[in-house]
Amino acid sequence: KLFIDTGKDEVFSLIQALNIRVTLTPVLPTRALRSDLTIFMNEWRPMFSRFHVIIVKDPDLKEELKIPEGFNLDVYGKPDIDQVVGSSTSILFSGYSCRYFGYLVSRKKYIISVDDDCLPARDPKGFLVDAVAQHISNLTNPATPFFFNTLYDPYAEGADFVRGYPFSLRGGVKCALSCGLWLNLADHDAPTQALKARQRNSRYVDAVMTVPARSLIPISGINIAFEREAVGPALVPALKLAGEGKCRWETMEDIWSGLCVKIVCDHLGLGVKTGLPYIWRTDRGDPIASLKKEWEGVKLMEDVIPFFQSVRLPREATTVEECIIEVANAVKERLGSMDPVFARAAKAMLDWVKLWQSVGSSS
């Protein structure tokens, strides 16, 4: 791990030549909305070549994928999705939601998700950021959601708990979800990006922090990692906008999924971290054109956030699947009459739990 953390290409080449394998083997389900993945895969080769990669092709993409050699990977397309999922579900693994099929079929302990329009970032010293190593570090070190540490992650090198931090809470809890950040194109919505078209994120903050319990967070599926057995069923592809497109601004499914997984983590006493690692997000899409498609989701969030802030799960819900069923029932009861999109989301959540129990839990 020390050699890998140097981020130097010649070190990676030596590791590959000696066939050194780290004991942690995450799967990296990228999603493919474009056919030529040559540049993407080659840029990520120092990290991806060490692990098993799942690529899920958007069912609406007709062209054959172009993938360079030298990777341990499985590629899933529409025939594979149809064979595994069938037609008895309301879930559509299209567009950005195709990543969730990778979550479903993976059998690895840790899953890291990266979009195909993102490249590895470099830190302020110019070293290549190993997003995989940082995500695994976040997940394998405890989280502290019940008392905020003003020095951020107390388990990071050179850090510790501050004066006044209760010793009874310093053991922390399991970290189940790691949310990385972006350089270059920030995670703005379409209205903000349209207003600040030239604004770019160049701030590299060398820090990781635990999101406090009962605090919601807008999670982007572009750069996340999670422990599959701990929270896999809570990452649910449910909220589909009526006219959503193929650009990040035109979707809300990962925001909804993030709200679901956060309240489940809070209920089960699990942690969520945000901060490092950074990735480099390339410019893509027209925010002005996307504004009409995403505006529906922007308005819906004004009702969605108060709902999730008020949700309290019963003590009897002790598994992730039981938690998602409870949330789905609450969505149907309290939001279903407000907009048809919520009723469809509730059904998709229940269908997802059934899928996970029949497909995701099998060996």
Side-chain angles (χ1 to χ4, degrees):
K1 287 183 63 178
L2 289 173
F3 289 135
I4 290 171
D5 289 343
T6 64
K8 295 183 177 181
D9 293 339
E10 58 268 28
V11 176
F12 290 130
S13 298
L14 179 60
I15 291 173
Q16 291 173 346
L18 296 176
N19 197 29
I20 298 173
R21 298 291 177 181
V22 293
T23 56
L24 299 169
T25 53
V27 63
L28 299 131
T30 65
R31 56 96 184 131
L33 298 185
R34 62 181 74 188
S35 59
D36 193 345
L37 297 179
T38 304
I39 295 177
F40 170 77
M41 296 297 288
N42 282 333
E43 289 288 333
W44 283 100
R45 186 180 293 275
M47 282 72 82
F48 284 8
S49 61
R50 310 198 308 269
F51 303 109
H52 178 237
V53 180
I54 288 179
I55 297 177
V56 183
K57 179 182 176 182
D58 183 355
D60 299 329
L61 184 64
K62 305 303 180 184
E63 297 86 356
E64 292 295 322
L65 296 182
K66 297 180 180 178
I67 305 172
E69 296 181 351
F71 295 92
N72 172 23
L73 56 81
D74 289 317
V75 180
Y76 295 92
K78 188 177 186 305
D80 306 297
I81 296 175
D82 292 341
Q83 181 180 359
V84 172
V85 176
S87 58
S88 60
T89 177
S90 61
I91 298 174
L92 300 175
F93 295 99
S94 61
Y96 282 88
S97 294
C98 65
R99 76 177 74 246
Y100 292 89
F101 185 79
Y103 302 167
L104 186 68
V105 298
S106 169
R107 294 297 176 266
K108 300 297 184 181
K109 181 174 183 177
Y110 299 111
I111 292 180
I112 298 172
S113 182
V114 179
D115 272 12
D116 60 11
D117 55 359
C118 298
L119 301 175
R122 291 188 177 274
D123 66 19
K125 296 181 180 179
F127 292 113
L128 196 68
V129 174
D130 189 336
V132 176
Q134 181 61 56
H135 273 308
I136 296 301
S137 176
N138 292 347
L139 292 173
T140 54
N141 284 292
T144 54
F146 303 117
F147 202 92
F148 190 80
N149 191 59
T150 52
L151 288 179
Y152 305 112
D153 187 0
Y155 305 101
E157 183 179 356
D160 210 326
F161 292 96
V162 297
R163 181 170 61 96
Y165 201 101
F167 279 88
S168 60
L169 296 177
R170 296 191 182 193
V173 300
K174 177 196 288 287
C175 179
L177 177 66
S178 169
C179 306
L181 301 177
W182 312 350
L183 291 176
N184 190 37
L185 194 63
D187 193 10
H188 293 150
D189 51 35
T192 304
Q193 187 61 36
L195 184 65
K196 301 180 178 181
R198 297 183 179 181
Q199 180 171 304
R200 296 294 181 267
N201 180 35
S202 59
R203 295 187 302 166
Y204 186 100
V205 181
D206 188 11
V208 175
M209 60 184 292
T210 296
V211 183
R214 302 301 178 192
S215 291
L216 297 177
I217 174 176
I219 294 173
S220 170
I222 284 181
N223 177 23
I224 65 169
F226 59 93
E227 185 172 328
R228 188 178 181 277
E229 291 186 4
V231 292
L235 289 146
V236 50
L239 187 70
K240 281 281 188 179
L241 301 180
E244 75 173 41
K246 299 292 185 181
C247 294
R248 171 54 60 188
W249 296 308
E250 301 167 2
T251 66
M252 299 296 289
E253 48 84 14
D254 57 345
I255 301 296
W256 179 275
S257 175
L259 297 172
C260 291
V261 72
K262 183 57 169 66
I263 65 171
V264 170
C265 284
D266 289 344
H267 177 72
L268 298 179
L270 301 171
V272 175
K273 292 183 182 180
T274 185
L276 301 178
Y278 281 92
I279 58 173
W280 182 271
R281 180 84 194 283
T282 57
D283 294 349
R284 186 182 182 190
D286 181 354
I288 300 297
S290 298
L291 185 56
K292 292 182 179 179
K293 297 179 180 179
E294 194 197 44
W295 183 240
E296 177 192 355
V298 173
K299 293 187 293 183
L300 287 176
M301 284 299 108
E302 300 306 312
D303 295 317
V304 167
I305 300 304
F307 165 77
F308 277 99
Q309 288 175 328
S310 66
V311 168
R312 295 294 182 269
L313 301 177
R315 288 185 178 181
E316 294 74 22
T318 58
T319 68
V320 180
E321 291 89 341
E322 290 171 346
C323 291
I324 292 300
I325 291 174
E326 292 289 342
V327 177
N329 291 335
V331 170
K332 181 179 180 180
E333 179 182 347
R334 294 168 52 184
L335 298 178
S337 61
M338 296 174 57
D339 193 298
V341 71
F342 293 128
R344 292 194 295 268
K347 185 179 186 308
M349 294 170 72
L350 296 175
D351 285 349
W352 175 252
V353 171
K354 293 178 182 177
L355 264 181
W356 195 274
Q357 291 173 335
S358 63
V359 177
S361 298
S362 61
S363 61

